[in-house]
Amino acid sequence: MIKPAYWMARSQVINPDEYLEYVKRAGPASREYGAEILSRGGRFELLEGTLQFQRFVLVKYPSFDAAMDFYHSQAYREAAAFRLGGAGINELVIVEGEDSG
């Protein structure tokens, strides 16, 4: 059985306008790869660690390969260019989940 994968990002937004452009492009493009956005920029409370990041994103993909395919896609590279141009600092990890069955 194919296991789902989770895209987990922590961000510090520096330029909100440029970062918003990234969000507007990346979200819709991710759905073409089966993404289900579970959390994006919602309420949070830091329980341990330091507060470097203020925006947290969790996206579920049908498989690890689907998440990696999106990350390496032309659509994501074009969207990420807005963020990578100085709109924010980001940490991103894709982790394989467990079977739900």
Side-chain angles (χ1 to χ4, degrees):
M1 175 172 244
I2 297 175
K3 296 179 179 184
Y6 297 90
W7 168 296
M8 299 181 301
R10 304 184 320 157
S11 302
Q12 177 184 9
V13 177
I14 296 169
N15 181 327
D17 293 332
E18 288 291 304
Y19 201 90
L20 182 59
E21 194 59 37
Y22 160 70
V23 171
K24 285 181 183 177
R25 293 167 183 253
S30 71
R31 289 183 183 89
E32 295 178 23
Y33 292 81
E36 177 185 355
I37 298 171
L38 302 176
S39 179
R40 180 174 60 190
R43 180 177 154 189
F44 74 94
E45 183 171 335
L46 180 70
L47 300 176
E48 296 184 18
T50 60
L51 186 61
Q52 177 180 355
F53 302 99
Q54 303 85 27
R55 182 177 172 84
F56 302 88
V57 177
L58 180 61
V59 180
K60 181 180 179 181
Y61 284 85
S63 68
F64 189 87
D65 290 341
M68 292 300 294
D69 288 346
F70 172 62
Y71 179 78
H72 292 291
S73 72
Q74 180 68 29
Y76 184 71
R77 282 196 306 270
E78 289 173 5
F82 287 93
R83 182 180 47 75
L84 295 171
I89 299 168
N90 197 56
E91 285 185 348
L92 171 62
V93 64
I94 297 170
V95 61
E96 188 172 61
E98 293 295 320
D99 291 337
S100 60

